[in-house]
Amino acid sequence: MEHRIVGPGPYRATKLWNETVELFRTKMPLRKHRCRFKSYERCFTAAEAVDWLHELLRRSQNFGPEVTRKQTVQLLKKFLKNHVIEDIKGKWGQEDFEDNRHLYRFPPSSPLRPYPKRPPYQKDVIKFPEWNDPPPGTSQENIPVRPVVMNSEMWYKRHSIAIGEVPACRLVHRRQLTEANVEEIWKTMTLSYLQKILGLDSLEEVLDVKLVNSKFIIHNVYSVSKQGVVILDDKSKELPHWVLSAMKCLANWPNCSDLKQPMYLGFEKDVFKTIADYYGHLKEPLLTFHLFDAFVNVLGLLQKEEMAIEAFQICCLLLPPENRRKLQLLMRMMARICLNKEMPPLCDGFGTRTLMVQTFSHCILCSKDEVDLDDLLAARLVTFLMDNYQEILKVPLALQTSIEERVAHLRRVQFQKSYPEVYQERFPTPESEALLFPEKPKAKPQLLMWALKNPFQPFQRTRSFRM
């Protein structure tokens, strides 16, 4: 019962679905069962399916040991709805699967999901401005000129140009490195880093590059507080004050400094339910539908923890600033609650850590496709985020330094092309420095006089004196 690791690549969620379905169909033990005085061959009970599949998912490195029995039941409901299994009478299509003694079997055909067909995304190659390139809409042919009166002097000038005595003048446009150019550099280099870490030939099947907003990346890098939390320009996109107060209350429990209402038995459970209700009613998950495939592909790197953290750092830079801020505050609260030994149990049926994962995984990561293994994948991702949120939600320093050096280099080239004399004075080359500051001849070290006396004189043995 082995579940192979599905690494990064296009349609990773679909591959995981098909891999799980194939293992379940080929490895699930089948035997004879009796129900209402009738025998049924090659079938299994719902409880047997839950036991076996739960063990498979917990041992799989694609999902991890955090998978709960409840999540396994939810997956089997999807199996029943999509005709991966059917009841003993051949009924399927409804999610009425329960953890009981009801009998199920496999249909004759294997309902593997086909890989979706997406229109190929065109690669946007960033072309940096050339100094001799005219602005759009202009050319050498349609440069406006004033009509001149031809005289002997003008005729001589034009004749000299025609026969090659005087070089013709050309209009040269010097273009500046605009803000749009800088934004494209940030976008291109960020996506290039992500593609390199994932080890993919292209990001076309992982995310739509056209939907990546370069302004989000720059804002998430520079508009941050001392604690590294994103600062929003539009305050209307902030968390509601009552939600932020509730999160601070649980994060600093039992020291709630801004708490004005009296506490009662079970107060912390009501506060937690308030936070869960707010995040549960978000229109879109914090990691967005667009970036679902990108984050799912990063999950294929969890065996290489450092690479996975770096890839998550880059993916989180692509988020809208308001989503990144909400994610930062939520992960910090979840981590503090799990580490707080003074926090009373927030749920009788689950431990605190499992409760955090089960409550907030769907509002952090989910897909539009209900058939995908988004519940299990979200739980896997949130577990890893809780353990490494401080590193993941940092700005990757190597990426930031590389981009800033690239922009500084292009601006230096721009200055050099526009003002070559000033550039040569400010940034002299080794050749110009050699002309301005010629090297002085180095003084040869003086030899000691005693070293020159009889340098090749053989060693002479002297008479020894005995006492």
Side-chain angles (χ1 to χ4, degrees):
M1 190 172 63
E2 296 181 359
H3 208 153
R4 66 182 182 88
I5 301 175
V6 179
Y11 317 116
R12 183 174 185 267
T14 304
K15 292 178 182 178
L16 285 172
W17 171 272
N18 290 341
E19 177 79 9
T20 306
V21 169
E22 286 184 347
L23 281 175
F24 184 53
R25 285 178 58 90
T26 57
K27 302 294 184 179
M28 174 66 197
L30 304 177
R31 62 187 182 87
K32 181 179 179 180
H33 289 81
R34 290 184 61 85
C35 180
R36 297 180 180 179
F37 307 104
K38 188 176 181 179
S39 297
Y40 297 93
E41 300 288 342
R42 299 182 57 80
C43 58
F44 51 86
T45 66
E48 291 172 348
V50 175
D51 293 338
W52 191 91
L53 187 57
H54 185 215
E55 187 65 20
L56 171 70
L57 297 175
R58 292 183 70 255
R59 290 188 177 185
S60 171
Q61 297 188 30
N62 295 311
F63 304 106
E66 301 289 339
V67 178
T68 63
R69 191 175 182 87
K70 182 179 178 181
Q71 288 177 323
T72 308
V73 173
Q74 294 297 323
L75 178 58
L76 285 167
K77 287 184 177 181
K78 293 183 178 182
F79 281 178
L80 181 61
K81 182 178 180 180
N82 291 275
H83 206 192
V84 177
I85 59 176
E86 62 184 17
D87 72 357
I88 204 64
K89 296 181 180 179
K91 295 181 180 180
W92 61 278
Q94 301 293 330
E95 292 191 3
D96 54 357
F97 183 94
E98 295 182 5
D99 190 357
N100 53 25
R101 301 293 299 174
H102 195 75
L103 294 180
Y104 291 90
R105 66 188 180 191
F106 292 118
S109 60
S110 177
L112 297 181
R113 295 189 60 203
Y115 296 120
K117 296 181 180 180
R118 299 179 181 175
Y121 303 127
Q122 296 180 355
K123 297 182 180 179
D124 296 333
V125 180
I126 306 302
K127 182 178 183 297
F128 296 109
E130 297 289 343
W131 301 108
N132 293 330
D133 288 349
T138 63
S139 63
Q140 295 292 337
E141 287 73 15
N142 57 13
I143 296 175
V145 294
R146 293 183 303 172
V148 294
V149 179
M150 185 65 65
N151 53 31
S152 59
E153 183 180 359
M154 291 298 299
W155 181 90
Y156 175 77
K157 288 182 178 180
R158 292 193 175 187
H159 178 71
S160 301
I161 292 174
I163 64 178
E165 294 181 0
V166 180
C169 297
R170 290 178 58 84
L171 186 63
V172 178
H173 299 272
R174 297 193 185 277
R175 298 181 62 184
Q176 301 294 324
L177 189 66
T178 63
E179 182 180 354
N181 296 138
V182 175
E183 291 176 357
E184 287 298 321
I185 293 171
W186 271 93
K187 175 179 176 179
T188 305
M189 294 189 65
T190 301
L191 295 178
S192 177
Y193 264 62
L194 178 61
Q195 178 179 334
K196 181 179 179 181
I197 295 174
L198 294 178
L200 301 176
D201 297 330
S202 173
L203 291 176
E204 292 182 1
E205 305 295 344
V206 175
L207 77 161
D208 189 348
V209 177
K210 294 181 181 179
L211 297 180
V212 176
N213 193 327
S214 56
K215 295 182 183 295
F216 292 168
I217 302 175
I218 298 175
H219 187 100
N220 291 333
V221 170
Y222 293 109
S223 299
V224 294
S225 65
K226 294 181 179 180
Q227 292 76 24
V229 180
V230 174
I231 300 175
L232 300 181
D233 296 331
D234 187 358
K235 300 303 179 182
S236 64
K237 297 181 179 180
E238 288 274 8
L239 280 170
H241 177 71
W242 53 273
V243 177
L244 191 59
S245 298
M247 295 176 69
K248 288 181 179 179
C249 174
L250 292 186
N252 301 315
W253 186 272
N255 303 317
C256 307
S257 57
D258 59 344
L259 190 62
K260 299 180 181 179
Q261 296 182 355
M263 294 169 49
Y264 52 84
L265 185 63
F267 175 78
E268 66 283 350
K269 294 182 179 180
D270 291 343
V271 175
F272 180 76
K273 185 177 184 299
T274 300
I275 301 171
D277 288 343
Y278 171 79
Y279 277 95
H281 287 84
L282 295 177
K283 296 181 179 179
E284 188 178 24
L286 295 179
L287 301 185
T288 71
F289 291 131
H290 161 235
L291 295 175
F292 174 80
D293 287 336
F295 281 100
V296 168
N297 274 271
V298 178
L299 288 175
L301 297 174
L302 292 190
Q303 291 74 29
K304 304 174 182 178
E305 185 172 323
E306 294 183 1
M307 292 181 62
I309 290 176
E310 189 174 2
F312 276 128
Q313 286 179 337
I314 298 176
C315 286
C316 289
L317 284 182
L318 308 181
L319 296 173
E322 58 271 18
N323 288 39
R324 181 177 172 90
R325 176 176 174 82
K326 291 177 182 178
L327 180 65
Q328 288 174 320
L329 297 176
L330 178 61
M331 296 309 304
R332 186 167 63 177
M333 182 202 73
M334 293 168 60
R336 289 187 178 182
I337 291 177
C338 292
L339 296 176
N340 189 355
K341 297 181 179 179
E342 299 184 18
M343 174 65 69
L346 298 175
C347 181
D348 298 332
F350 296 101
T352 303
R353 180 181 174 88
T354 304
L355 178 65
M356 295 294 116
V357 175
Q358 296 300 314
T359 303
F360 297 107
S361 59
H362 190 74
C363 71
I364 293 177
L365 179 73
C366 70
S367 69
K368 292 183 178 180
D369 193 349
E370 297 180 356
V371 184
D372 281 328
L373 303 172
D374 48 359
D375 294 338
L376 297 175
L377 296 174
R380 181 69 162 152
L381 182 140
V382 172
T383 302
F384 190 78
L385 276 179
M386 289 178 58
D387 295 335
N388 304 276
Y389 80 98
Q390 292 182 336
E391 290 295 325
I392 290 175
L393 296 177
K394 283 183 179 178
V395 176
L397 185 59
L399 174 63
Q400 180 182 355
T401 304
S402 178
I403 297 177
E404 289 175 347
E405 289 177 352
R406 174 65 176 170
V407 174
H409 169 73
L410 291 176
R411 284 176 174 164
R412 191 161 55 248
V413 171
Q414 166 191 334
F415 184 81
Q416 180 184 11
K417 294 289 185 179
S418 302
Y419 310 100
E421 296 83 5
V422 179
Y423 181 86
Q424 189 174 5
E425 293 179 1
R426 294 186 180 182
F427 307 99
T429 62
E431 293 77 9
S432 60
E433 286 185 346
L435 294 176
L436 295 175
F437 309 103
E439 294 185 1
K440 297 180 179 180
K442 296 182 179 179
K444 297 182 179 180
Q446 297 181 356
L447 299 178
L448 298 177
M449 295 302 296
W450 62 268
L452 298 177
K453 293 181 179 180
N454 301 326
F456 301 102
Q457 184 177 1
F459 174 74
Q460 295 181 357
R461 187 172 184 179
T462 58
R463 182 180 298 176
S464 61
F465 295 89
R466 298 182 178 178
M467 297 298 293

